Amino acid sequence: PILNDVRGEVRFDNLWTLTTPPGQRVTIGELNPGIAVRSGRVSFQLLSEERVSIESAEFDFASGILAMRPTTITLGADETRFELTLRDVEAADLLQTLNVPDLTATGKLEGNLPLLLTHRSAFVQGGVIRAQDEGGVLSYTGRAGDSATGVSRIAFDALRSFQYDALSLTIDGDLNGDVVSSIEFSGHNSGR
């Protein structure tokens, strides 16, 4: 992971155990464990036995916020579990950030991504991203359906400009390997 421009002042209450009182704060210019997040605001406490209590952590991500739910982690542990949340994320910016080709979207998204970190990889376990508010528009701009016929052609044509009112994406798997996702949405074709 890349970590740039970390700033703050940490006050220790015990130098022998390297512990701090609650409410220590740092800002992080950029954190990139594979996908870049910026302008981080982290509040924490260093505990004994190489544990860190994350009180709050928020980063700017895809015109919205990627946050970490409060948790205590043990540094150097074989496994670390925590949950990330998304809110007010712009669908278009998320697709651009993730480099998704042939798909554009509008609307705001939110969700939860439970993560398991091991020494070899990161796993999403039961992640869900869903539409906020009133939905948006999905548009498939690729050429995969150009030679389709029958029902397949109707589906590709509908996805050229599909107004969704509900959207849910589930994500499970190894972020460095196989990720299984499914998408459910409802709405109508806007006729464009």
Side-chain angles (χ1 to χ4, degrees):
I2 297 170
L3 185 63
N4 289 318
D5 196 20
V6 178
R7 296 172 188 241
E9 185 174 302
V10 177
R11 302 189 75 149
F12 291 91
D13 58 9
N14 187 321
L15 287 175
W16 296 110
T17 59
L18 294 178
T19 58
T20 68
Q24 304 302 307
R25 289 182 171 75
V26 295
T27 59
I28 301 171
E30 177 187 19
L31 173 63
N32 190 339
I35 296 174
V37 293
R38 291 180 171 67
S39 301
R41 299 150 315 270
V42 180
S43 178
F44 65 96
Q45 178 182 14
L46 297 178
L47 304 170
S48 61
E49 300 173 4
E50 297 185 349
R51 294 175 303 135
V52 178
S53 172
I54 305 294
E55 297 162 351
S56 68
E58 291 189 347
F59 293 85
D60 294 347
F61 179 69
S63 298
I65 301 293
L66 175 69
M68 182 179 193
R69 290 198 190 266
T71 191
T72 298
I73 59 174
T74 301
L75 300 175
D78 290 337
E79 293 186 352
T80 301
R81 292 180 186 275
F82 59 91
E83 186 169 343
L84 299 177
T85 61
L86 295 172
R87 68 178 185 271
D88 299 325
V89 169
E90 292 288 342
D93 292 341
L94 181 61
L95 292 174
Q96 182 179 5
T97 298
L98 298 177
N99 252 347
V100 177
D102 301 332
L103 189 64
T104 62
T106 65
K108 289 193 183 258
L109 306 172
E110 64 185 7
N112 303 341
L113 300 168
L115 291 179
L116 168 64
L117 299 181
T118 67
H119 288 297
R120 68 173 189 86
S121 196
F123 301 88
V124 176
Q125 299 179 317
V128 177
I129 298 174
R130 61 197 159 276
Q132 279 182 231
D133 305 324
E134 300 169 12
V137 176
L138 286 174
S139 297
Y140 174 72
T141 59
R143 303 194 52 102
D146 287 354
S147 62
T149 59
V151 174
S152 295
R153 182 62 188 202
I154 293 169
F156 276 106
D157 286 346
L159 288 176
R160 295 285 176 203
S161 183
F162 188 85
Q163 178 74 42
Y164 68 88
D165 50 27
L167 178 138
S168 179
L169 174 69
T170 60
I171 304 165
D172 281 287
D174 183 344
L175 294 178
N176 292 319
D178 294 330
V179 174
V180 176
S181 63
S182 65
I183 187 169
E184 292 182 28
F185 54 91
S186 64
H188 64 277
N189 180 288
S190 63
R192 284 188 262 164

